[in-house]
Amino acid sequence: MLPALAPCLLAAAAAAPVYIRAGLLIDGTGGPPRRDQVIVVRGERIESVLGASAAVVPAEASVVDLSRATVLPGLIDAHTHVFLQGEDPAEGGYDAQLLRQGLAYRAARATVSVRRALEQGFTTIRDLGTEGAGYGDVGIRQAIEGGYIPGPRMFVATLAISNTGGYPLEDYAPELQLPKGVQIADGPVEARKAARSQLDKGADWIKVYMTHRSWLDAAGELVSQPTFTVEELRAIVEETHAVRKKVACHAYGGEGLHRALEGGCDSIEHGLDLDDAAVAQMARQGTWYCPTLSVYHYEWEPEGTPAGMRDRKRAAVHDPSFRKALRAGVRIVFGTDVGGFPWSDPMAQEFARMTALGMRPGDAIRSATSVSAEMLGMAGRLGVVSPGAFADIVAVSGDPLADIDALSRVGFVMKGGAVFKNDFR
Ligand SMILES: [Zn+2]
């Protein structure tokens, strides 16, 4: 048995404050950056933020000196897949991960994915589907929360939902019974039951595929196959909203995207091909837009082939869609779809894509901090460096407002008051 004193000592140690000196502080709210600040962290929360001249460091406090760095809230990636490892055809692409890799292997690699996220300053992720790895994301989240493996805070979507003909594995001999990368449901009754069952088993979000295959029509326009009807989606949305959770809809454009908006989805994922009516409806309804620009620049099929033309068209129509949404004031959240590309590649590449399309660096930072936090129902608790928020804090050298690529060089990561990495020592 532990001596009776031990818990008290632990509590005292936890209560000793940490004083973080910030050379420049971008607090995530969009306000002007502030020089020479001190962030007081006690336990897992931020207690106060003071001007350096006003801060008196008590004897029991420890000090983290980031006075040569820019300090920001921990970043949020609102679209990841920790159970996917890119889709390199040389490694068998998507299908091999479902057909040749057991759950233990995939879970082991997912522990590396979540560590990679944290190393890059992403202290929170919304992981949108395990792609055939069942409820593995619930287990990874649990292992992180239990302190067994390092990783970000996770909002998980478990299996994700599509309908018959709406998701891989596909294009095999029709006699074969194959695993699917999602839960398949048809009709409002099955759709409702799928949502209930995923929520029951630990989903924080429900992910629905509202479009599937895409191709070019005779006029060279991108067409996307719609999946669920509005009635089916409404059943899912009703169940999810009833327990105060949200629905993310993968939708490229056209009919499927319009049904997603009509059915009451909370966030549009990808939104490659947004027409004016869709943009107006998103702005009106307050739908979040998670564009995931970078991933559509990976693994293009050869030029001149139908698939190659489709891949190039997808990327080409994405840019004007993003610009339109930005102009219309649609709430844009940062998401990479990492896992769709390898976890060894930088997640911060998405910032450069967003700013290249006209988003101001400060707004790109907000999209990966306070705006995403609001979507996650965590306004004021995540995505800001403010009193009362979780002490999820990162630092970079240089000023990301002047050079957005600075965000790809995160040198300090604190999550919930615990330092994970500090290259500024
Ligand atoms: Zn995705």
Side-chain angles (χ1 to χ4, degrees):
M1 215 178 122
L2 284 168
L5 200 56
C8 311
L9 286 173
L10 285 173
V18 179
Y19 278 56
I20 301 173
R21 294 188 186 283
L24 188 69
L25 174 64
I26 298 172
D27 70 5
T29 64
R34 285 171 283 164
R35 294 218 164 270
D36 299 322
Q37 300 289 299
V38 170
I39 304 154
V40 182
V41 173
R42 196 180 294 269
E44 60 175 8
R45 303 266 183 171
I46 295 166
E47 188 174 83
S48 54
V49 182
L50 313 159
S53 53
V56 181
V57 182
E60 77 273 19
S62 54
V63 175
V64 176
D65 184 9
L66 302 174
S67 57
R68 289 168 297 124
T70 301
V71 174
L72 306 103
L75 303 172
I76 300 172
D77 188 336
H79 191 132
T80 65
H81 298 278
V82 301
F83 278 90
L84 273 188
Q85 306 298 336
E87 301 187 3
D88 182 358
E91 290 181 25
Y94 177 86
D95 293 17
Q97 298 178 63
L98 276 74
L99 292 170
R100 306 185 76 92
Q101 299 176 0
L103 188 52
Y105 177 86
R106 294 188 69 189
R109 292 199 64 178
T111 66
V112 180
S113 310
V114 291
R115 173 189 271 269
R116 285 285 302 141
L118 198 56
E119 282 170 358
Q120 295 174 75
F122 289 85
T123 52
T124 298
I125 60 175
R126 183 180 59 148
D127 201 64
L128 287 182
T130 61
E131 310 284 353
Y135 291 91
D137 51 359
V138 174
I140 297 292
R141 184 188 67 193
Q142 190 179 4
I144 293 169
E145 283 172 359
Y148 297 104
I149 57 169
R153 301 174 195 280
M154 287 182 75
F155 292 80
V156 303
T158 73
L159 310 183
I161 311 173
S162 190
N163 58 16
T164 298
Y167 212 73
L169 302 180
E170 56 196 0
D171 301 327
Y172 289 86
E175 297 76 16
L176 294 176
Q177 292 286 334
L178 289 165
K180 287 284 181 189
V182 293
Q183 181 171 4
I184 297 294
D186 293 294
V189 174
E190 281 186 20
R192 187 180 295 276
K193 186 163 185 181
R196 282 181 179 165
S197 137
Q198 293 182 14
L199 291 163
D200 179 44
K201 292 175 195 288
D204 302 302
W205 276 72
I206 294 295
K207 163 84 173 288
V208 183
Y209 284 85
M210 289 302 291
T211 62
H212 178 41
R213 291 176 192 262
S214 57
W215 61 92
L216 299 188
D217 68 11
E221 297 299 318
L222 190 69
V223 187
S224 293
Q225 168 200 346
T227 58
F228 286 117
T229 62
V230 172
E231 191 193 12
E232 288 169 316
L233 177 60
R234 279 213 179 110
I236 293 169
V237 168
E238 246 178 56
E239 290 302 318
T240 311
H241 286 179
V243 292
R244 306 280 178 95
K245 290 182 175 169
K246 295 192 179 104
V247 177
C249 285
H250 165 116
Y252 280 3
E255 175 68 21
L257 187 131
H258 283 276
R259 289 185 197 170
L261 295 172
E262 212 44 50
C265 88
D266 298 289
S267 72
I268 292 287
E269 305 304 309
H270 317 304
L272 302 183
D273 197 4
L274 299 176
D275 57 39
D276 293 346
V279 170
Q281 192 169 359
M282 288 169 78
R284 195 168 62 243
Q285 294 182 179
T287 312
W288 307 92
Y289 176 35
C290 185
T292 72
L293 300 162
S294 311
V295 73
Y296 291 97
H297 292 265
Y298 278 85
E299 308 297 353
W300 285 354
E301 296 288 339
E303 204 166 356
T305 63
M309 285 154 68
R310 174 206 60 198
D311 292 346
R312 283 158 184 80
K313 184 74 174 178
R314 280 178 179 175
V317 297
H318 214 169
D319 293 359
S321 294
F322 182 91
R323 287 181 193 276
K324 268 193 284 194
L326 188 63
R327 261 199 313 275
V330 172
R331 299 188 287 184
I332 299 176
V333 292
F334 178 99
T336 59
D337 214 357
V338 57
F341 62 84
W343 282 90
S344 48
D345 283 8
M347 295 160 77
Q349 64 179 299
E350 187 74 12
F351 285 112
R353 297 238 176 240
M354 293 167 105
T355 53
L357 294 176
M359 190 177 230
R360 288 187 308 227
D363 290 335
I365 291 169
R366 283 178 56 242
S367 83
T369 54
S370 56
V371 178
S372 285
E374 195 187 340
M375 181 183 76
L376 295 170
M378 297 296 285
R381 289 180 285 170
L382 296 179
V384 287
V385 177
S386 305
F390 285 106
D392 293 1
I393 294 167
V394 302
V396 301
S397 35
D399 177 3
L401 294 173
D403 167 25
I404 198 74
D405 289 333
L407 294 170
S408 62
R409 300 184 296 270
V410 170
F412 172 85
V413 179
M414 170 184 269
K415 183 191 149 208
V419 176
F420 171 68
K421 146 175 171 179
N422 188 359
D423 298 340
F424 292 101
R425 259 197 284 258

